[in-house]
Amino acid sequence: MDSRLIQAFVNWYLVSIDVLLILGIIYFLKLPTEKKANSSYWLPFLILAFTVFYENMGAYTNFNSEFNKAVNELFGNFENPNFNLWLFNIANKQINTILYLFLIKSWLEPSKKKYINWMIILFIVVVQVLQFSGNEPIYLNQAIIYSVGANMIIVGSGLYFINMISNEQYLASNPVRLLSFWQMTFILFTYSLTYISSVSLLYLYTNYPKLLDSLLQIDLVFGILNLAIMVVTLASPRFPSVFEKEPNYDLT
């Protein structure tokens, strides 16, 4: 087997999330049909599957440099065709941001869902304006786009926690036994702690590579924990004594 292929795909992070995806697929397939159609389950599964897909795709672009170079040149990047930022900009900073906003929306009471709708629309507009104006090309670090999306996710998480301390149904429940609590907690921590490394990626890469490597390792650990919570969500119906039912307003 090609040693470059092993180096690209066999590492602790990719192996960990690949295992989580396998577990996620098993638990999702075992869900009753009505739960598979519920956004409380299919959204976490979609986030899990999509994240594992683009992370492995990132490994493939590192392995197949000719493919990566061709895509970079398609986007107009002839100076640094070895970068695969285009993939993570599209998949992580843009699509995943929208998916997480939809997940946050699924846990909010109906009166607060409209705020997430407006955030998603605004985010899509900001992405298109910044990309097509040339201010943040798709093949370079999109610090503004990431910061806008991260701030929206942090605000959305804040809406959830505000709702938790003000809604009688949440006040009557045990937060640590609610899946929504753990999802929002890990999402909030993930986006808060990865903020610095994501916004100042190229600066740290140029001036403080060792610091950047340490920050990226922290990002990876929280990424695994975040996906692990998605797997726990899919497995939760099998452990009714561990988790409480969410407030009974519409969660679809």
Side-chain angles (χ1 to χ4, degrees), residues 71-80 83-91 93-94 126-146 198 201-202:
V71 176
N72 270 290
E73 292 178 349
L74 178 66
F75 289 131
N77 180 19
F78 296 93
E79 185 176 351
N80 296 295
F83 286 1
N84 60 2
L85 283 172
W86 60 270
L87 172 64
F88 291 94
N89 285 336
I90 296 172
K93 294 184 179 180
Q94 298 177 26
V126 168
V127 168
Q128 301 310 312
V129 170
L130 289 175
Q131 279 191 170
F132 287 103
S133 66
N135 287 305
E136 289 207 331
I138 200 169
Y139 52 83
L140 293 179
N141 186 41
Q142 297 182 326
I144 299 176
I145 288 175
Y146 175 83
S198 296
L201 179 65
L202 292 183

Side-chain angles (χ1 to χ4, degrees), residues 39 52 81 86-87 113 126 146 149 152 159 165 167 206 215 243:
S39 61
V52 176
W86 60 270
L87 172 64
K113 291 180 185 288
V126 168
Y146 175 83
M152 287 181 175
L159 289 175
I165 63 176
N167 186 287
T206 302
L215 291 173
F243 300 101

Side-chain angles (χ1 to χ4, degrees), residues 141 196-197 199-209 211-212:
N141 186 41
I196 296 176
S197 60
V199 170
S200 55
L201 179 65
L202 292 183
Y203 173 78
L204 293 174
Y205 177 79
T206 302
N207 298 283
Y208 303 99
L211 174 60
L212 176 61

Side-chain angles (χ1 to χ4, degrees), residues 96-98 100-101 104 119 148-158 187-188 191:
N96 241 20
T97 296
I98 294 173
Y100 275 115
L101 285 172
I104 293 171
M119 286 184 191
V148 170
N151 281 312
M152 287 181 175
I153 287 175
I154 292 171
V155 170
S157 301
I187 289 172
L188 180 61
Y191 276 85

Side-chain angles (χ1 to χ4, degrees), residues 184-248:
M184 294 302 102
T185 298
F186 274 89
I187 289 172
L188 180 61
F189 270 98
T190 298
Y191 276 85
S192 298
L193 293 176
T194 61
Y195 200 98
I196 296 176
S197 60
S198 296
V199 170
S200 55
L201 179 65
L202 292 183
Y203 173 78
L204 293 174
Y205 177 79
T206 302
N207 298 283
Y208 303 99
K210 291 185 178 180
L211 174 60
L212 176 61
D213 183 65
S214 298
L215 291 173
L216 290 178
Q217 293 299 312
I218 295 174
D219 292 359
L220 296 180
V221 171
F222 271 88
I224 291 174
L225 293 175
N226 211 33
L227 294 182
I229 292 298
M230 301 303 168
V231 175
V232 172
T233 300
L234 299 173
S236 61
R238 305 179 68 85
F239 306 99
S241 62
V242 177
F243 300 101
E244 290 185 6
K245 290 184 177 180
E246 299 289 332
N248 60 12

